[in-house]
Amino acid sequence: GPSVLCGLWFPAPLPVAASPGAMAEEQLTEPAKLLLLSSLLEKDRIITRNGKGFLKELILDRDRRLNDLLSSLDSSEGQDSSFIDVINQLIEQEAHTLYERLFSQCPLDHGKTVSKAEREEKGLNDKSLIYGEVEFNSFARVLRKIQPAPGTKFYDLGSGTGKAVFVARFLHDFDQCVGIEILEGLHNCGVAVVDLYEREFRQFLAVTEPGDVSLIHGSLLDGDWSDGDVVFANSTCFDDELMEAVSKKAEDLKPGAFVVTFTKVCLRDAGSAKWPPLPFRLHTESPCRLYC
């Protein structure tokens, strides 16, 4: 019988036009079926354009995991959520593989060492500068909850070597992903990663998207991120004074913007007589690792 997926109807199997004079009905090959399916899912924003690009590469490579994807579609019997979970997991696995390759020359230990050395050399004892990294899969789930629209702008306040920036870059269709980092050593590590991305990795993303990544060396309090649509701060070690300052700057964001914080929330009393309501805030426990 027919398969129904998120409002899309597929005959089962999918027919194609017969050649002139042919009496037998031909069927789409499995790769063609998957290419059509990925295009329809992207059109309805069920997957991102970058996600469609990852699926296309897997299809062309005849990746065996696609068999599980088709099996999930055939067995879902109208249960859209189970199939969507499988396809998103596959996209995230492929993005994660690319992400690990990109950061192979800038692993966790390197970022930790660079951060500690600069803080000791400059006598920087501010706990807000303690080095931390997001977990790819955990941060991917956070961004999936937001479902950012194509063409929007992502900021990471305190971007380190750029890891959260590239989770956002690989998994979503932001026009721009921007990181702001105050420690020069971490910023320089991030710049090297961006250079590698431009040379060898950008080609794997959707060709119709800008795919831009930029890193700014400076304080998140001095930079202008008022044009952000999704603003992230790994705020686990931020003190109250810094959280207060970040909250005040967040008031300049456009209506509908998202502010994502870890462990600590913005301190403004939204809706009070003293402070106007902030844009939407998504607070979550910290899916990251912290290091002194």
Side-chain angles (χ1 to χ4, degrees), residues 227-258:
D227 59 340
D229 299 281
V230 178
V231 177
F232 165 61
N234 187 354
S235 54
T236 299
C237 293
F238 286 13
D239 58 28
D240 289 348
E241 182 179 357
L242 182 55
M243 286 302 299
E244 175 79 10
V246 169
S247 301
K248 188 175 188 304
K249 284 182 70 70
E251 293 172 3
D252 295 330
L253 291 167
K254 68 190 78 171
F258 290 82

Side-chain angles (χ1 to χ4, degrees), residues 21 39 41 68 96 108 136 138 163 170 173 186 202 209 213 247 253-254 264 282 284:
S39 294
L41 291 174
D68 295 333
H96 193 189
L108 165 66
F136 182 95
S138 297
K163 293 199 169 178
F170 286 155
D173 299 327
L186 290 177
R202 187 170 184 154
E209 296 299 303
V213 176
S247 301
L253 291 167
K254 68 190 78 171
K264 296 182 179 180
L282 178 63
T284 183

Side-chain angles (χ1 to χ4, degrees), residues 18-26:
S19 59
M23 298 298 294
E25 188 180 71
E26 298 181 359

Side-chain angles (χ1 to χ4, degrees), residues 106-120 129-133 160-161 163 183 185-186 189 289-292:
C106 189
L108 165 66
D109 287 344
H110 183 66
K112 181 171 59 173
T113 299
V114 169
S115 172
K116 186 175 182 179
E118 182 170 348
R119 285 183 285 124
E120 289 180 348
L129 298 177
I130 289 177
Y131 186 68
E133 289 188 355
T161 60
K163 293 199 169 178
L183 293 180
L186 290 177
C189 289
R289 293 169 289 185
L290 298 173
Y291 303 91
C292 295

